[in-house]
Amino acid sequence: MVLSHLEKLTDEAWLEAFVAQWHLLADLSFSDLLLWLPRDAGERFECVAQIRPVTGPTALEDDVTGETIVHELDHAVTAAFMSEQISETSDNELNAGIPVDVWAVPIMRGGRCIAILERHTNLMGLRAMGALEENYMEAAGVLTSMLLEGQFPLAPPMDKALAPKAGDGVLRVQPNGIITYASPNAITGYRRLGAQGDIEGEDFGDLTRRLRHGVETMGQTVVSDLREQRSAVFDVEQPRASMRFVLLPLEVAETSVGMLVLCRDTTDLRRRDRMLVTKDATIREIHHRIKNNLQTVAALLRLQSRRMKSEEGKEALRDAMRRVSSIAVVHDTLSHTLEEDVEFDQVCDRILRMVGDLAATSGVVHAKRVGSFGVVPSDAATSLAMVITELCQNAIEHGLLSSSGALEVRPSVDADSLVIDVLDGGVGLPEGFDITKQESLGLAIISTLIKDLDGTIELEPRVDGPGTRARITIPRRE
């Protein structure tokens, strides 16, 4: 069996991968599991992880994680570490008289014991033995032997929301590919996929191929199919049902004993996924339509401004058109993403192009962004876009006097806030300027929007040259 991808892992990474999947051993053995790491060359052991079974009662009411064992020769963990063999004892002193079987299994890797797995089984609550219990325990025994040999079947990484567990459905498949056991949940899943007759006794590869054309990873035998990989994951989907399969090859003393197949009915999950995709598409379409409607409004304002004779009226309509267009830019960005946050750099760049084109009645305005906004929550993006639009418009009209010049927007982000500087190289602020005493509609809009964002604004002369600096500080929200 090829183990190249396992051999490349460090001991710590290997144990992390094992703990990510040891729920399988806990559920199949109906046991609590503890992972002990040797410290000080085996003079003491520290419990670094614990898991309880979902298939039976716990044998350990308390959380043991973080506790240590000093070197005790009669302790199962110490005995397993020193002998590199499974140590089995019975313990009912610490469990209110409840009989508990305790197994300590050395986890071997490269001929070294890197950890000890301690297994506690509550015998009083152990289920009556039937076909399910017998196959579970037999599979748990094989997995324990593989663990002792450093070959626990690690499944490839997958979405935890779809990953099957023992309670979802289990199949035992022999080396010749014949199913010798199927749990009730596994049988129900196959029935939903359209399988007829008994599952047990069927060839796993043939049965699965009949349910879905295109599952071609199964060949003549299970061993030949999986000899180049530790495990396999695939989905069988039909219009009315779907299942996820995880194939785990079982091997003891380098001899194949077949395969353990975990399967999960994912019909409802897939249906919810499709509903979410539909919902996301609907939201994107809504943003797209809002953007189109706002662009239509902006076009109507432009047409109306051309028919007006009053310069003041024309300017008011142009301002309204610019504000509507800045909102449309945000909705256009949201229509192309599924994220709740907005990559605001592209929004700012489009606003700068738009403001420069509309505001400069003569000359050329060179507007640019220096730095990055990062991501901005969608519920704050519209307000921030309008604030930047108004500040840039004010800088061009009052700083550059609607003539040629340079305009910069400099965002910076730290752990607590987003700081935005809008800089122009114009004539600067008039003497005695006080933002709180201004009656400009643009400044009133800015102040209101920044207040809604819990931010602050400062207007002051630039220190690095002529012109004005407008600084906005907005606290970052998680």
Side-chain angles (χ1 to χ4, degrees):
M1 186 175 294
V2 177
L3 299 175
S4 57
H5 68 292
L6 296 178
E7 293 171 349
K8 296 178 182 178
L9 296 178
T10 63
D11 290 346
E12 182 179 359
W14 194 96
L15 289 172
E16 288 178 356
F18 165 67
V19 168
Q21 300 174 40
W22 69 340
H23 60 83
L24 177 61
L25 182 56
D27 292 342
L28 290 177
S29 64
F30 311 100
S31 304
D32 296 70
L33 303 182
L34 303 176
L35 183 65
W36 298 88
L37 292 187
R39 305 297 190 193
D40 303 329
E43 289 299 318
R44 62 186 181 91
F45 300 88
E46 179 184 359
C47 182
V48 296
Q50 177 176 355
I51 189 173
R52 295 181 173 89
V54 298
T55 52
T58 182
L60 297 171
E61 296 291 343
D62 298 328
D63 191 344
V64 186
T65 305
E67 294 188 6
T68 59
I69 298 174
V70 181
H71 190 87
E72 300 176 12
L73 294 179
D74 59 345
H75 198 287
V77 171
T78 304
F81 178 77
M82 296 184 64
S83 66
E84 297 184 352
Q85 298 292 327
I86 296 176
S87 175
E88 183 177 1
T89 61
S90 295
D91 179 14
N92 58 15
E93 296 180 0
L94 301 178
N95 296 278
I98 298 175
V100 175
D101 270 353
V102 181
W103 287 34
V105 183
I107 299 178
M108 305 299 296
R109 193 162 188 251
R112 299 173 293 111
C113 179
I114 62 172
I116 301 294
L117 178 74
E118 192 176 21
R119 202 174 94 186
H120 294 249
T121 307
N122 184 334
L123 299 179
M124 182 172 289
L126 198 63
R127 297 156 50 146
M129 295 300 288
L132 182 146
E133 288 75 19
E134 289 177 358
N135 279 276
Y136 273 27
M137 294 297 291
E138 182 180 343
V142 174
L143 294 179
T144 300
S145 298
M146 294 179 67
L147 182 61
L148 185 62
E149 298 172 4
Q151 296 185 355
F152 188 90
L154 298 174
M158 69 185 77
D159 184 354
K160 290 185 178 180
L162 296 176
K165 296 185 177 181
D168 296 319
V170 172
L171 301 175
R172 286 295 309 278
V173 181
Q174 297 306 308
N176 61 3
I178 300 301
I179 300 172
T180 55
Y181 173 74
S183 69
N185 284 343
I187 295 174
T188 299
Y190 269 95
R191 292 283 187 267
R192 294 189 69 176
L193 289 174
Q196 303 294 325
D198 292 333
I199 303 301
E200 296 179 7
E202 290 273 4
D203 183 276
F204 175 71
D206 292 343
L207 175 63
T208 307
R209 271 195 293 268
R210 289 201 301 269
L211 298 177
R212 173 182 177 267
H213 296 293
V215 180
E216 302 299 338
T217 57
M218 271 68 72
Q220 296 300 317
T221 68
V222 173
V223 175
S224 63
D225 294 329
L226 298 175
R227 64 176 180 268
E228 298 300 330
Q229 55 189 4
R230 285 289 289 170
S231 57
V233 179
F234 64 88
D235 294 290
V236 174
E237 295 192 34
Q238 293 187 359
R240 296 184 179 180
S242 61
M243 286 184 70
R244 166 154 290 196
F245 291 84
V246 176
L247 282 56
L248 302 174
L250 304 178
E251 186 176 281
V252 176
E254 299 184 356
T255 302
S256 173
V257 293
M259 180 171 60
L260 186 69
V261 179
L262 304 180
C263 53
R264 180 180 181 181
D265 187 338
T266 56
T267 305
D268 293 336
L269 289 173
R270 295 295 186 187
R271 184 180 297 114
R272 283 197 292 268
D273 286 344
R274 288 190 289 269
M275 290 174 64
L276 288 174
V277 170
T278 302
K279 179 181 177 182
D280 291 336
T282 301
I283 292 174
R284 289 199 302 270
E285 178 63 21
I286 289 173
H287 283 302
H288 181 70
R289 293 189 182 188
I290 291 174
K291 182 264 296 184
N292 288 343
N293 291 338
L294 290 172
Q295 288 181 334
T296 300
V297 172
L300 293 174
L301 292 173
R302 184 184 298 110
L303 290 174
Q304 185 66 36
S305 68
R306 292 174 180 173
R307 293 176 176 271
M308 294 193 69
K309 300 185 182 298
S310 168
E311 287 299 323
E312 184 178 354
K314 286 184 178 182
E315 184 62 27
L317 288 176
R318 281 197 292 267
D319 288 345
M321 177 181 64
R322 186 182 61 253
R323 290 162 184 150
V324 170
S325 296
S326 67
I327 300 174
V329 169
V330 175
H331 283 283
D332 186 34
T333 303
L334 290 171
S335 69
H336 293 90
T337 180
L338 296 177
E339 303 297 329
E340 295 184 359
D341 296 331
V342 178
E343 293 286 350
F344 203 78
D345 289 349
Q346 57 179 316
V347 174
C348 180
D349 293 343
R350 291 176 62 179
I351 288 175
L352 291 178
R353 289 195 297 269
M354 177 184 65
V355 170
D357 293 340
L358 293 176
T361 56
S362 62
V364 177
V365 175
H366 297 285
K368 65 178 181 179
R369 171 180 54 84
V370 179
S372 176
F373 287 86
V375 295
V376 174
S378 58
D379 58 350
T382 298
S383 296
L384 186 58
M386 290 193 66
V387 168
I388 293 175
T389 300
E390 294 297 330
L391 287 175
C392 291
Q393 173 67 17
N394 285 344
I396 292 173
E397 286 187 359
H398 304 294
L400 302 179
L401 302 178
S402 298
S403 184
S404 297
L407 176 67
E408 287 187 5
V409 176
R410 297 180 182 175
S412 62
V413 182
D414 59 29
D416 300 319
S417 60
L418 167 64
V419 179
I420 308 162
D421 286 341
V422 179
L423 307 166
D424 66 65
V427 298
L429 294 170
E431 187 176 350
F433 177 85
D434 186 348
I435 189 174
T436 63
K437 298 179 180 179
Q438 303 303 307
E439 298 180 355
S440 163
L441 175 60
L443 288 177
I445 292 174
I446 292 171
S447 298
T448 301
L449 293 175
I450 289 180
K451 183 178 180 181
D452 291 340
L453 295 172
D454 298 324
T456 60
I457 182 171
E458 302 172 6
L459 285 175
E460 58 187 11
R462 292 183 64 171
V463 296
D464 57 347
T468 303
R469 182 190 74 175
R471 168 162 290 185
I472 308 165
T473 303
I474 300 173
R476 295 188 66 184
R477 292 178 292 174
E478 294 297 333

